[in-house]
Amino acid sequence: MTYDDDMKRRLRRVEGQVRGVLKMMEENKDCKDVVSQLSAVRSAVDKTMALVVAVNLEQCIREEQENGGDTSKMVQEAVGLLIKSR
């Protein structure tokens, strides 16, 4: 699996969001604001996980089809990963 620049950029953005949340906590910001930012972090991580799984699945399906194999197991595994991540 090759992790492209978009995936890495998304995680760097998450990293910045987490640093921002820590700063908010250090500044004793309101609980609602902190939780709101934590929710944004979780959403960004969820979207990144979905992207990683989708790109990997696409690559694996292409390879399996080129070899004449059955791709249904791969799809089931990808769905399982996404379900487990929730």
Side-chain angles (χ1 to χ4, degrees), residues 63-85:
E63 290 172 12
E64 193 66 21
Q65 286 176 335
E66 288 172 5
N67 296 327
D70 180 21
T71 60
S72 61
K73 183 178 177 187
M74 290 177 191
V75 172
Q76 290 173 351
E77 288 176 1
V79 170
L81 276 175
L82 290 174
I83 291 171
K84 187 187 291 188
S85 71

Side-chain angles (χ1 to χ4, degrees), residues 30-85:
D30 187 73
C31 172
K32 288 185 248 178
D33 295 332
V34 171
V35 170
S36 175
Q37 288 305 306
L38 286 170
S39 178
V41 168
R42 179 174 49 193
S43 177
V45 169
D46 286 345
K47 289 176 182 176
T48 302
M49 282 191 296
L51 178 64
V52 169
V53 170
V55 170
N56 182 59
L57 178 60
E58 182 181 0
Q59 289 174 358
C60 290
I61 284 177
R62 275 197 204 125
E63 290 172 12
E64 193 66 21
Q65 286 176 335
E66 288 172 5
N67 296 327
D70 180 21
T71 60
S72 61
K73 183 178 177 187
M74 290 177 191
V75 172
Q76 290 173 351
E77 288 176 1
V79 170
L81 276 175
L82 290 174
I83 291 171
K84 187 187 291 188
S85 71

Side-chain angles (χ1 to χ4, degrees), residues 1-54:
M1 164 95 198
T2 301
Y3 300 99
D4 65 19
D5 289 340
D6 181 41
M7 293 175 195
K8 295 172 192 173
R9 192 172 22 258
R10 287 171 181 257
L11 285 180
R12 286 188 196 98
R13 193 173 312 127
V14 168
E15 181 181 33
Q17 288 176 303
V18 170
R19 279 195 304 273
V21 171
L22 285 169
K23 183 178 178 188
M24 291 174 72
M25 290 175 162
E26 290 167 357
E27 295 172 351
N28 294 317
K29 297 291 183 181
D30 187 73
C31 172
K32 288 185 248 178
D33 295 332
V34 171
V35 170
S36 175
Q37 288 305 306
L38 286 170
S39 178
V41 168
R42 179 174 49 193
S43 177
V45 169
D46 286 345
K47 289 176 182 176
T48 302
M49 282 191 296
L51 178 64
V52 169
V53 170

